[in-house]
Structure formats: structure tokens, C-alpha cells
Amino acid sequence: MSKETEDALKERIKELTCLYEISSIIESVDIESIENVLKACVFSLKKAFLFPDFTDIKFSSEELEISTNRLSVDNPKIESSIRIFNEPKGKIIASLNGPKLTQDDFLKEEQQLLDNVALKVGNLLERIEIQKSETSLKRQMEHADRLSILGEITAGIAHELNTPLANILGFAELLKSDLEGDKKIASDLNKIIDNAIFSREVLKKLLFFSCKMPQEKKQVNLVPIIKSAINLLDATFRKEKVKYSTKINEEELWLKADPIQLTQIIFNLLINAIYFSPKEGLVTIQALQKKDSIILKISDEGKGLTPNDLEKIFQPFFTTKPMEDGSGLGLSVVHGIVASHKGSIIAENNPDKGAVFTVTLPKN
Ligand code: ADP
């Protein structure tokens, strides 16, 4: 065998070994280990090149950048695009850093090897995307299930307590009018009445959460509803030294909904946004329409949401506020109203800071 053939053969073996190595690395991957796997792939690729000591490999995508070394922009290089669901989402670059090495020092087979690895990595990233969306769908379904079971239980309890509570209130008021002359008794009865009214309000909120509140849906324009909710809270914004800005490009955003319940959604979201805003923080209220839906986004610059908040935020009685400030029913009411309008609500963190709530309601 001539020396040339022998060298060429050695190169092929190196490339095949690399492909075999990368296939085995990729096979056993899960979401958590992706960074390490890509690291192993770039080092395996480096070894397969004709001048491994003078070759650097870089993988880059929107989220990750992994390389065997820093690549200089001026060095000769070949690259291959990584496609995920047929969209270019990154690339693998091989670059030569030897003093006399030029573009011609890349073998034709090296480009093929790079293409082959890019294809494998693309398939891997596709698999991970699918895995990720399946997990998030599963989580969303479990979450929705839990909330709907909680809704059923809550509705049951609220209904059971409604009648005795109405009796307590009714009889306490009767007694008060019977015993009008006695100040001490009247003051005690007032306490009973106040507490019964407070409990009735809690029950009402629980019924909202479980979507069991009567509603009057009609064609309404969301824009003036948002404006009047903001006007009502104007004094609170000023008192708390929180700024607000509205981003609504349209005069009219029509949908079929209960206008009072829409106000409740906006109110509850704004009250939280103000509460968690720092002094001089900005609350942004955005509304827009898509073909079949209206979207309302309320965003703040506060402390944002922890993973625990995100998990429990719509459950009744979940609160991180001190006792006197919160009952943990605001967002469960919002969730109930949105659900009874066949819409959806998402709580997230803003990329820089604060929380953002996105409500999507169908137009009809
Ligand atoms: P409450 O306001 O009475 O606590 P909610 O149901 O309105 O009840 O909110 C539940 C919890 O969700 C809050 O106590 C807080 O932990 C979290 N939360 C709601 N809105 C925000 C926000 N804009 N920023 C940070 N945390 C929030």
C-alpha cells in the first residue's frame, strides 16, 4: 500500500471513529446533559481532522456556544448549518490555526463529516425540543387538573356554607333591630355582622374561582374598561409612587364578556403589580387583538415570581403577603373568571425583572 493510500485510509478511519463516537454520545442524552454532550462532540470532531492539533471546533446556537478554543475570525474555516425542524438554528465551524495552513488544507471528506455531525446534532436538538414541549404540556395539564379539582371542592364548600352564613347574617340583623336600645349588645352584634359579611366576600371569591358565579356576557369594548380601571386606581398609583404606561394601539377591542368580571381581572392584576412594584417602578398595561382573541398583558418591575410562586399562584389562599395585606384569593378569582370565559392566563417572569401576566380571551 502506498504511503498516500495509507494516510487517506487512516483519515477515513479517524472520521468513522468520530462519527461512531458522536452517535454513541448522542444516543444516551437527556435535557440536563446537553451541554456536556455537545462539548464531547466538538472534542471528538477535533480529533478527526487531518491536523487535529491545529484545528478548533465551535458549536454555536441561540442558547449555547461551545468550542475547543477561541476561534479567530481570520483563520481558514469550513462550516455546516444545524437545522431544527428545518429551520437553521446554529452551526458547527471547524477552523485551522496553524501558521501555514490555508483553506486548501481542509479535505473534501472533512466538510462531509461536518455535515454529517451537524445533521446528527440537529436531530438530537429536535428530540430535546420535543421532550421539552411534552414535559411542559404534561405539567400544564397536571396543573389545570389540580386547579379544576380544587375548583370543584371549593365550589362544594362555598355552596354548603352560603346558607348558614346567610342565616347568621339575617338573624344577627334581626336581633340588632330587636335590641336597638342596648349599646353593648348592638356593638357585639355589629362584630358578628361584620365578620359574616367578610366571610360572605371570601365565599363569593371562592365561587368566582370555581367558575360558579353567574355572569352576563355581552359585546364589550375592552379599551374603556381598562381606562376606567386605571382611573379608579390612579390615586393608589400616586400614593405608592408607581408609574404606569398603557400600550394600546387600537381605539376598540371588542369581545363577548361580562364587563364587571373584566374589570375584576384588570383590577386584581393591577393591585398586585402596584403592590410588588418598587418606588418609581413602571407598570405596563398592554392590550391587542389577534384574529380570534384579545390579549391583555400586565407587567411590572417588582421582585418577580419564584418557582414556588409559579407553581401555586392561582390556587386559592396562596399568598406571600403578610396576613393583613393578602388573602390569596385575587389571582384565583382572576383564574376562575378567565376560565369561565374559555380563556387562558399565564404568569411569567420578565426577561430583565418583574412579573408579567398574560390573559388571552376569545372574542366570541
Ligand atoms: P394576594 O394578593 O392576596 O396574596 P393573589 O392571589 O392576588 O393573592 O396573589 C397570590 C400571590 O401571588 C401573591 O401573594 C404573590 O406571592 C404572588 N404574586 C401575585 N402577583 C404578583 C406580582 N405582580 N409580582 C410578584 N408576585 C406576585
Side-chain angles (χ1 to χ4, degrees):
M1 203 189 294
S2 73
K3 170 94 173 74
E4 235 166 66
T5 328
E6 198 177 312
D7 284 350
L9 203 59
K10 265 194 206 147
E11 276 314 300
R12 285 307 75 70
I13 291 171
K14 263 164 64 184
E15 282 156 17
L16 285 173
T17 313
C18 161
L19 264 183
Y20 174 74
E21 235 175 60
I22 289 183
S23 303
S24 336
I25 300 168
I26 279 178
E27 209 165 308
S28 57
V29 73
D30 58 33
I31 300 175
E32 277 76 40
S33 56
I34 181 75
E35 203 170 332
N36 287 337
V37 163
L38 291 171
K39 223 178 256 173
C41 288
V42 294
F43 279 97
S44 170
L45 253 176
K46 177 180 163 80
K47 282 188 298 181
F49 275 68
L50 182 59
F51 303 105
D53 294 340
F54 300 107
T55 305
D56 279 308
I57 310 286
K58 179 162 107 175
F59 162 87
S60 69
S61 71
E62 275 162 25
E63 292 112 36
L64 270 178
E65 213 175 275
I66 294 166
S67 56
T68 52
N69 211 337
R70 267 182 76 104
L71 269 56
S72 154
V73 273
D74 303 326
N75 287 347
K77 63 170 188 284
I78 53 174
E79 59 179 58
S80 188
S81 154
I82 293 173
R83 303 180 79 82
I84 302 180
F85 301 116
N86 236 347
E87 299 274 334
K89 282 286 159 74
K91 50 190 172 188
I92 305 187
I93 305 168
S95 156
L96 292 174
N97 58 24
K100 295 203 187 84
L101 294 174
T102 69
Q103 199 68 34
D104 294 337
D105 289 305
F106 282 114
L107 302 174
K108 181 169 101 268
E109 289 80 0
E110 288 174 343
Q111 178 68 54
Q112 284 167 0
L113 176 69
L114 215 57
D115 292 346
N116 228 322
V117 172
L119 195 70
K120 281 191 189 300
V121 171
N123 287 343
L124 163 74
L125 296 179
E126 243 171 46
R127 227 169 64 209
I128 291 209
E129 283 294 310
I130 295 172
Q131 213 178 329
K132 261 197 223 158
S133 64
E134 273 173 359
T135 321
S136 113
L137 196 68
K138 206 166 140 227
R139 237 183 248 145
Q140 271 173 31
M141 278 168 65
E142 277 170 8
H143 195 225
D145 260 3
R146 237 180 301 149
L147 283 181
S148 98
I149 294 168
L150 210 51
E152 289 298 316
I153 300 171
T154 312
I157 298 173
H159 275 297
E160 288 297 319
L161 292 184
N162 222 3
T163 316
L165 197 58
N167 285 338
I168 293 173
L169 198 56
F171 284 111
E173 266 161 0
L174 254 179
L175 261 182
K176 198 179 141 191
S177 65
D178 285 351
L179 300 165
E180 231 171 337
D182 194 320
K183 279 216 168 104
K184 172 80 181 75
I185 291 181
S187 137
D188 288 347
L189 282 171
N190 274 338
K191 282 181 198 140
I192 295 179
I193 292 170
D194 287 348
N195 279 290
I197 290 175
F198 174 80
S199 310
R200 198 178 55 186
E201 287 308 304
V202 171
L203 283 193
K204 216 175 5 174
K205 286 180 183 165
L206 289 177
L207 285 172
F208 266 117
F209 166 66
S210 55
C211 316
K212 295 277 173 5
M213 211 57 192
Q215 59 183 191
E216 212 181 306
K217 281 196 199 164
K218 53 184 178 191
Q219 284 299 327
V220 281
N221 178 5
L222 182 66
V223 181
I225 295 185
I226 295 178
K227 289 195 175 143
S228 65
I230 296 175
N231 273 340
L232 284 173
L233 285 171
D234 192 63
T236 318
F237 271 111
R238 272 186 284 140
K239 183 167 154 265
E240 301 299 326
K241 298 201 167 43
V242 174
K243 295 179 285 186
Y244 63 82
S245 123
T246 46
K247 282 193 195 161
I248 307 172
N249 291 333
E250 303 187 56
E251 296 277 307
E252 297 179 357
L253 291 169
W254 290 92
L255 76 159
K256 197 167 175 213
D258 182 321
I260 295 173
Q261 296 189 356
L262 283 183
T263 309
Q264 272 181 302
I265 297 180
I266 304 163
F267 231 79
N268 285 349
L269 292 177
L270 282 179
I271 283 175
N272 278 338
I274 298 173
Y275 184 92
F276 288 102
S277 283
K279 294 268 169 290
E280 302 306 320
L282 178 70
V283 171
T284 310
I285 305 119
Q286 197 187 356
L288 53 109
Q289 63 178 320
K290 291 270 161 76
K291 187 164 155 274
D292 298 318
S293 57
I294 300 285
I295 295 172
L296 169 73
K297 257 181 199 281
I298 294 185
S299 169
D300 61 61
E301 297 180 335
K303 69 175 182 61
L305 305 162
T306 64
N308 186 47
D309 294 343
L310 288 168
E311 167 92 23
K312 302 194 180 131
I313 199 154
F314 298 116
Q315 292 178 7
F317 305 113
F318 170 75
T319 180
T320 56
K321 294 181 184 170
M323 265 271 262
E324 60 281 11
D325 286 357
S327 60
L329 287 174
L331 287 179
S332 39
V333 166
V334 171
H335 186 275
I337 295 176
V338 171
S340 69
H341 282 79
K342 309 234 169 345
S344 64
I345 177 163
I346 300 174
E348 289 167 302
N349 281 311
N350 278 314
D352 37 358
K353 60 177 161 182
V356 53
F357 290 82
T358 309
V359 176
T360 306
L361 294 168
K363 283 185 182 170
N364 282 302

